[in-house]
Amino acid sequence: MEFVNTPEPIYVETNKEAAKWKEVFAKEVSIGFDTETTGLNIIKDRVKYFSIANSDNRICAPVRLLPVFKEILENDDIEKRMTNAKYDMHMAANHNVYINGRVGIW
């Protein structure tokens, strides 16, 4: 397994900032995705924050901005790299975002 250096987070708070980052990540063939949640129960708990990363950038944003990235996360052509893929996929689905395409683990 290859380890990568994780970029320092860039905190995104507005729709305008999120739209800018959506354009950056839309050009990638592989992105990292992670959720921070209210707990570990996939039925009752919800996402509070999420992060998306490439080799150069990592953004962290509140869940209210998750719909901005829906198109990217549901894009079959962009691989999603996740540590706890099954859990994060369930949690995103709780917010009507369905992770599609190849899922890699890191």
Side-chain angles (χ1 to χ4, degrees), residues 33-78:
F33 178 71
D34 188 34
T35 62
E36 300 301 328
T37 61
T38 58
L40 298 176
N41 185 308
I42 62 171
I43 304 299
K44 72 173 187 161
D45 290 310
R46 294 291 181 257
V47 177
K48 290 188 71 157
Y49 299 93
F50 66 95
S51 63
I52 298 177
N54 61 17
S55 59
D56 299 319
N57 301 289
R58 176 172 54 128
I59 61 132
C60 295
V63 71
R64 66 182 164 72
L65 295 176
L66 188 59
V68 173
F69 298 93
K70 180 178 175 81
E71 182 180 330
I72 292 169
L73 294 169
E74 294 184 351
N75 185 330
D76 287 333
D77 296 327
I78 300 174

